[in-house]
Amino acid sequence: AYAAIFATSGRDYGHTVFIEHEEEGLVSCYYYNSEGLVEEGQQVAKGDPIATVGVMGEAGGFGLHFEIRKMSSPDKKLNPLDYLP
């Protein structure tokens, strides 16, 4: 099981969702969403919708910024390609 540990509607990054992957000690981060579909503390499973795509920054194009972090630290970003199927 995974848990949404942070969900916000911040101005700079749109709706932001962080998902804690307890068994791996990892956090996946999703920025620039137009709408968050989960709330802080909500349990989610693989394949559950967590947000809808939004507009990225001043460029105005649709997109998503995705990160994988070790222990939720922004200083410990990992290569997401190592964790995607």
Side-chain angles (χ1 to χ4, degrees), residues 2-8 13 15-21 26-33 38-42 44 50-51 65-67 69 72-74:
Y2 309 109
I5 58 170
F6 185 73
T8 184
Y13 299 106
H15 288 270
T16 301
V17 177
F18 291 176
I19 303 291
E20 182 176 34
H21 305 263
L26 302 175
V27 172
S28 53
C29 310
Y30 308 82
Y31 299 94
Y32 298 110
N33 301 296
V38 294
E39 296 179 10
E40 187 171 344
Q42 180 179 338
V44 296
I50 59 169
H65 179 86
F66 173 69
E67 295 178 1
R69 298 179 180 178
S72 75
S73 173

Side-chain angles (χ1 to χ4, degrees), residues 34-66:
S34 66
E35 179 183 12
L37 302 177
V38 294
E39 296 179 10
E40 187 171 344
Q42 180 179 338
Q43 295 289 314
V44 296
K46 183 177 180 179
D48 286 351
I50 59 169
T52 57
V53 71
V55 176
M56 292 185 67
E58 294 177 15
F62 290 102
L64 167 74
H65 179 86
F66 173 69

Side-chain angles (χ1 to χ4, degrees), residues 2 20-27 69-71 78 83:
Y2 309 109
E20 182 176 34
H21 305 263
E22 296 172 355
E23 60 277 356
E24 293 105 9
L26 302 175
V27 172
R69 298 179 180 178
K70 183 74 171 173
M71 304 304 290
L78 304 171
Y83 298 91

